[in-house]
Amino acid sequence: MNSCCVLGLGYIGLPTALLFADAGVKVLGVDINQNIINNLNNGINHINESGIENLLKNNLKNNNLKISQKVSFADVFLVTVPTPFLKSGDINIPNLDYINSAIDSIIPFLKKGNLIILESTVPVGTTESIAKKIYKESKFQKDDIYIAYCPERVLPGNIIFELKNNERIIGGINNESAQKGKYFYKKICKSKINVTDSKTAELTKLTENAFRDINIAFANELSLIADKLDINIYKLISFTNNHPRVNVLKPGCGVGGHCIAVDPWFLISEFKEESKLLKSAREVNINKPFWIIQKVEKYLGKLDNKLSIKIGIFGITYKPNVNDLRESPALEIAKYFLEKYQVLICDPYIQTHSEFKIHSIEETLANSHLLIFLVEHNEFKKINPKNKVLFDFCGIFENE
Ligand code: SAJ
């Protein structure tokens, strides 16, 4: 398996393609976005992750990596395209259009003995339906093509390291497919690769993120109760976590990013009767930003000069110490206050924004009477909020 075609050069596809190229595999990286292709071919990458730049330049130079809009023949096809969801009433349903068009583009180039691996987060059973689609739309049958599911579990901000070092799971439509996939991933993964069937691997991925969503919802719900009792939630959690078997996560301003807020819906939409806890956890996390707005406006409502008060908002990214704004609840909160009040916004990881000015930490601190901390960036921990009205929704000043 010396050649691989990676379809989808996003947060997961590009780093994965680069690591296989760096391991000596001849990689063809394919994307539908011509801009991405032009930039990558000029050594410019759109993923702000350490290590990407060098891997890209080195592997373009040594010809292990080609970037194109067109699929071609390869021993292995790796599908890392997005699986967004569509709103349907009070639930969201997965949209597999990108997956299906990726498979459509592979079929004309399939040869007997090829391995197809799906990495995108999908509803359970998708890998098996892809196999059926291939048998129906190509001349190949059951044992001609190996097909497996191998989800990623990397933390944005540390992707290259985690791709190399995290344990992985791979599930095949049969054992041969899983073993072939395991052999292929051993080229980039130094840790254990667990082998199973495709449905178990698909549910493993969804379980990991749903588990995290529920635990974050628990912390967020607890923060509402502690607030009513005028108890510092972050102090409370530091005490509870002294218990050897308790690990309460940190309440924030909601759940952002394109994974934790999305993946539970793959189960909720399919197992409506069985997923009550998953759905209520989603509702708790979706509600947290509105609770924050309500709490600050309750305070502002008591002031005569609420429209002249200057509000400083600290942090708009979806999680601490990254520059990623995808589905960020903090950004939505900031935009809400910007509409109604005098607001300065600062975030050390975001230099500019198309809709508003980004101020420096010093400027925001000096010119605001009321401070709202939404994201626990390390840079904020040096701030002394003295003589200011402070709303800390992310535990920056937990020990104050
Ligand atoms: N959050 C909290 N409190 C916490 C932890 C997180 O409010 O204690 C919030 C964050 O601020 C953020 C959201 O939840 O808005 C998600 O943050 P995250 O730390 O879960 O990070 P993601 O979404 O970037 O990555 C997750 C990871 N999944 C797990 O940790 C189980 C990562 O391993 C997955 O690979 C990734 O989703 C994914 O791509 O599926």
Side-chain angles (χ1 to χ4, degrees):
M1 289 188 271
N2 297 318
S3 63
C4 170
C5 178
V6 179
L7 292 93
L9 299 177
Y11 268 80
I12 301 304
L14 179 60
T16 305
L18 293 174
L19 285 178
F20 276 116
D22 219 44
V25 176
K26 291 291 178 201
V27 174
L28 171 64
V30 174
D31 201 288
I32 52 172
N33 183 321
Q34 190 57 50
N35 268 342
I36 287 181
I37 292 164
N38 299 340
N39 285 339
L40 289 174
N41 276 321
N42 292 313
I44 304 158
N45 100 81
H46 53 293
I47 309 284
N48 192 337
E49 285 280 339
S50 61
I52 296 266
E53 208 78 42
N54 288 342
L55 281 167
L56 177 61
K57 289 196 170 109
N58 296 345
N59 288 287
L60 285 170
K61 206 163 71 192
N62 68 19
N63 275 323
N64 270 352
L65 176 69
K66 297 261 180 265
I67 309 279
S68 165
Q69 209 167 26
K70 289 196 174 16
V71 176
S72 186
F73 295 100
D75 299 334
V76 182
F77 294 92
L78 206 45
V79 177
T80 52
V81 296
T83 43
F85 54 76
L86 304 166
K87 212 147 184 46
S88 152
D90 68 339
I91 66 163
N92 297 299
I93 44 176
N95 172 353
L96 302 184
D97 293 351
Y98 289 113
I99 299 243
N100 289 322
S101 53
I103 300 299
D104 289 342
S105 66
I106 290 173
I107 287 176
F109 297 98
L110 279 178
K111 289 178 296 188
K112 187 170 167 47
N114 275 169
L115 169 63
I116 300 177
I117 295 181
L118 177 58
E119 282 208 13
S120 313
T121 305
V122 290
V124 177
T126 303
T127 307
E128 287 184 352
S129 20
I130 283 172
K132 290 193 190 89
K133 173 183 171 70
I134 289 171
Y135 304 146
K136 188 160 150 271
E137 296 172 16
S138 76
K139 60 180 186 307
F140 298 110
Q141 287 315 304
K142 216 151 179 51
D143 300 337
D144 298 338
I145 305 283
Y146 301 102
I147 307 173
Y149 180 73
C150 184
E152 52 76 20
R153 46 176 59 153
V154 298
L155 204 61
N158 199 19
I159 292 183
I160 294 290
F161 175 83
E162 294 213 343
L163 276 175
K164 288 180 184 169
N165 294 287
N166 286 358
E167 267 195 44
R168 295 194 77 144
I169 185 166
I170 186 156
I173 53 164
N174 51 40
N175 187 45
E176 299 74 19
S177 297
Q179 294 301 339
K180 280 258 178 198
K182 175 177 178 176
Y183 174 78
F184 184 60
Y185 273 90
K186 273 282 165 223
K187 293 174 185 284
I188 65 166
C189 174
K190 289 187 236 165
S191 296
K192 190 164 174 275
I193 298 179
N194 300 292
V195 170
T196 183
D197 62 280
S198 62
K199 286 167 78 174
T200 303
E202 289 163 338
L203 187 54
T204 299
K205 174 65 186 178
L206 296 177
T207 301
E208 290 163 2
N209 282 351
F211 174 78
R212 193 155 170 85
D213 195 46
I214 287 177
N215 281 279
I216 296 168
F218 176 76
N220 282 328
E221 185 152 282
L222 202 59
S223 72
L224 277 47
I225 295 168
D227 180 72
K228 274 227 147 152
L229 292 165
D230 199 17
I231 289 174
N232 179 321
I233 180 66
Y234 299 102
K235 281 203 169 64
L236 172 87
I237 291 172
S238 69
F239 296 139
T240 57
N241 288 357
N242 291 333
H243 185 295
R245 285 175 301 285
V246 172
N247 177 33
V248 180
L249 293 183
K250 209 159 197 182
C253 62
V255 170
H258 58 300
C259 316
I260 303 295
V262 173
D263 296 1
W265 293 110
F266 285 101
L267 293 173
I268 297 165
S269 56
E270 193 162 340
F271 303 99
K272 293 180 184 59
E273 285 315 303
E274 294 80 5
S275 60
K276 296 182 176 56
L277 180 60
L278 293 177
K279 187 149 185 279
S280 52
R282 280 282 70 234
E283 285 156 2
V284 167
N285 290 330
I286 287 166
N287 177 57
K288 186 68 187 288
F290 300 101
W291 178 83
I292 284 176
I293 290 170
Q294 228 169 21
K295 182 165 172 64
V296 176
E297 289 209 304
K298 192 167 166 221
Y299 169 81
L300 292 168
K302 293 182 201 136
L303 306 178
D304 305 335
N305 63 338
K306 72 177 181 178
L307 295 180
S308 58
I309 194 164
K310 287 253 178 65
I311 298 174
I313 290 188
F314 293 78
I316 55 173
T317 56
Y318 91 85
K319 72 174 185 178
N321 310 319
V322 295
N323 66 355
D324 195 335
L325 292 169
R326 283 177 298 176
E327 286 90 55
S328 166
L331 179 60
E332 294 315 310
I333 294 168
K335 286 181 183 173
Y336 175 88
F337 283 106
L338 206 57
E339 285 283 304
K340 295 180 72 176
Y341 304 96
Q342 295 189 60
V343 170
L344 286 89
I345 294 173
C346 78
D347 189 308
Y349 292 83
I350 305 291
Q351 279 64 43
T352 58
H353 193 278
S354 55
E355 296 168 56
F356 48 79
K357 185 172 178 331
I358 299 280
H359 298 269
S360 70
I361 293 177
E362 297 68 26
E363 213 182 338
T364 307
L365 194 56
N367 295 294
S368 307
H369 313 107
L370 182 152
L371 311 181
I372 303 176
F373 285 83
L374 297 175
V375 184
E376 194 187 5
H377 289 317
N378 291 336
E379 290 77 357
F380 293 156
K381 294 181 178 167
K382 304 172 219 123
I383 291 176
N384 179 348
K386 66 179 186 327
N387 313 325
K388 308 277 183 181
V389 175
L390 174 65
F391 285 91
D392 172 14
F393 293 116
C394 54
I396 300 256
F397 306 102
E398 61 187 354
N399 300 318
E400 300 296 303

